[in-house]
Structures are given as C-alpha cells and as structure tokens.
Amino acid sequence: MATPRSTGDEVAEETLVGPDIAIRGRIEGEEDLRVEGRVEGSVSLTETLYVEPSGVVIATIEARDVVVSGIVLGDITAGNSVTLNKNSKHVGNIRAPRVIIADGASFRGDVAMGDEPMPTTRERSRATNTAPRSSLSSSRTSRPRPATRSSAAPSAPSRREGSGPRASAAPAPAPRRKKKDDDDVTVVIKHASMRKGEAPPEEDEPKRRRAKKSARMPARGRRKAGRKS
Amino acid sequence: MANTVIGSTIVIDGEITGDEDLVILGTVKGQISLRENIVVERDGVVEANVETATITVHGSVTGDIQATDRAELRAECRVVGDIRAPRILIADGASFKGNVDMDG
C-alpha cells in the first residue's frame, strides 16, 4: 500500500490526497504531502507540499517547500522555496527565501523574500481587501441581471395566452371572456333586433342562447345565421 | 489506483470526505465519510467517527464505525467504539470494546 516513491525506508513515504478526497481541518506532518483533491484549513509540514494540477488547497500553508501546480488560496510560508508552476493559481501572500514563479502562473499577493519579518497584518489586510474588491467589481460587471427583468415582459403575453384557451373553453364568466362574448352577442342581438322588429321577444331569447352556444364560431357564420332566421 | 494515503507522520484534525480508497498510516481525528474502503494500517490511529463501505483495521480506532458492507478487525488492532455493519469480522488477537450491530 506504500507509495511508489519509496526509496527503501519508511521515511521516504509520502501522503497522497487523491482527486476524489476532501479534507477539512488541520493537517500536520513530517513528510511530503501531495494533494490531488481538496484541502481546506491549514497545512503544516516539515517537508514538501505538492499541489497537483487537479488539487485545490484553501489553507494557510507552512512547509519547507511548496510546489504549486494547481490552485492555492491562502498564505504560504516556506522555509526553503515556493514554486508556482505553469498554470498554477495562487491568491495569498508568499514568504520564502526562494520564490519561483513560472511563466503562465497566476498569482496575486505579496511576496517577502529574505529574513525580514513578514509584513503581517497590514499587508495581509491589503491582500484580503483587494480580493473582495475584485470580487465586488466582478459582481458589478456581471450585472446582466436587469435583462432578466426585461425578460419578465414576455411573460405577460404568455399570461394572456394562458387565459385565452380558458376563455374559449367555457362559455361562462371571467371578465375577458365576457368581453369577447358580449361583443359578439351584442352584434348578434343588434342584427336580430334590427332585422325583425316584429319578432316576439320570446324568439329572441332562444336565438341569444344559440348565439352564445355558437360564440366560438366565426362571427360571419353567426351573422349569416342571424340573417337567415 | 490513486489511493489516498495518510502517511505515518501526518496528523489530520478535521473531516475527510470522498469517493476513493483511503489508507491511514498516520493519525486522523474528527470525522471520516467515504463511500469506498478504508485501511487503518498497523501504526495508524483514528480518533473519529467513521462512515464507509468497508474498513479494515490493523491499528487503532477510537470512535463509532458505520460500514455499509464490512468491518474487519484484524489481529493486534485496538478498537473502542460501536460498530454497525452487515458483516463484522473480528480476528483472533484483536482488541475490541464496544457494541456490535449487524442488523443494519
């Protein structure tokens, strides 16, 4: 079960956090740690931390060496060196005697090489300030949300459409329905009353009913029917 | 292939979750939730509640173990805590204190 890297002794072993593993909390140790998965919290090693391309470390890191090929969010303090490889991403401060940043690496934060004490709170606060600022600005720029409001406009017609079928479905109340029916019916009534003023009101009413029943038919048909009768 | 290995000098205090095999040679405190296999090697120390499919203990576990498949307590292991698993194997020489529930 030991790791491939063993050169014989147990000391040569290495801890591996696989790509499907997430660890949240504190990790301490005296051996190499290779992260292909996700680690959150803090990492404290006397050896080397490798953050592989698939690895994500959101933690405060202390180690002798740190080699980043993946993503690191958090401050790194290394006794020897910090290497940010191509395609790595790091947001946070680095303190180490040797800092290597390869072409293609992405980094934001402060770097302190040499022995001066780490400019702690002030710089850190600066760094943390810049992060939210950018996130704020990005959230501002990513404002195409209002568009969603305009997209609410089309929803109104859809409501109308929705009420339309209902209206045609049943010949009873509902305001909009009544409007249509009323219009049609009044037209029919006008025709009926105009045409046959002699006709008794009794006849009229059955015709109205017919008209209502035939309200779904095109107006022409109704008119014709009215004329015929 | 990509076993996750917690080396012998490593101490993890927190929570481990994931979907792959885990080999513990070091120390883990807190909580472990996996859907695969856990092996606690001879020098491995787990002080955590463990949820997993199978667990094989050669070392020391303090905490409740809940396995959906199998829990194996090998010789010379030390386990303190309740074990819940459909299949539980306790080898000769194993040290165990706790409750066993094989019903579910």
Side-chain angles (χ1 to χ4, degrees), chain A residues 152-168:
Chain A
S155 73
S158 72
R159 275 181 201 168
R160 284 169 210 159
E161 286 166 12
S163 67
R166 268 183 227 155
S168 63

Side-chain angles (χ1 to χ4, degrees), chain A residues 191-200 203-204 207 226-227 229:
Chain A
H191 279 269
S193 59
M194 295 281 280
R195 287 248 156 175
K196 14 160 180 167
E198 311 163 359
E203 277 191 19
D204 240 324
K207 271 169 204 166
R227 283 171 196 166
S229 63

Side-chain angles (χ1 to χ4, degrees), chain B residues 57 59-63 65 72-74 77-83 94-98:
Chain B
V57 184
S60 162
V61 174
T62 306
I65 296 171
E72 285 188 48
L73 275 51
R74 296 294 184 81
C77 77
R78 290 183 295 110
V79 175
V80 178
D82 297 346
I83 302 180
S95 155
F96 169 61
K97 182 183 182 199

Side-chain angles (χ1 to χ4, degrees), chain A residues 90-113:
Chain A
H90 177 221
V91 177
N93 302 326
I94 297 177
R95 183 189 180 183
R98 293 162 56 204
V99 177
I100 301 104
I101 301 183
D103 185 18
S106 159
F107 168 60
R108 183 166 68 227
D110 297 320
V111 176
M113 295 162 113

Side-chain angles (χ1 to χ4, degrees), chain B:
Chain B
M1 49 133 283
N3 271 350
T4 289
V5 180
I6 311 298
S8 59
T9 70
I10 294 284
V11 178
I12 294 179
D13 190 346
E15 183 183 354
I16 301 179
T17 57
D19 276 339
E20 65 186 63
D21 294 354
L22 177 64
V23 179
I24 299 172
L25 300 123
T27 302
V28 177
K29 301 175 186 174
Q31 169 88 28
I32 301 174
S33 322
L34 289 190
R35 264 176 274 175
E36 300 295 331
N37 311 311
I38 297 177
V39 179
V40 181
E41 293 290 2
R42 183 171 296 246
D43 294 327
V45 177
V46 174
E47 297 175 15
N49 291 337
V50 180
E51 289 175 26
T52 181
T54 75
I55 180 167
T56 307
V57 184
H58 300 271
S60 162
V61 174
T62 306
D64 296 346
I65 296 171
Q66 184 168 344
T68 56
D69 184 20
R70 193 174 75 234
E72 285 188 48
L73 275 51
R74 296 294 184 81
E76 297 183 24
C77 77
R78 290 183 295 110
V79 175
V80 178
D82 297 346
I83 302 180
R84 222 172 119 184
R87 296 162 62 196
I88 297 175
L89 294 74
I90 302 183
D92 185 16
S95 155
F96 169 61
K97 182 183 182 199
N99 182 42
V100 171
D101 182 354
M102 296 168 76
D103 286 340

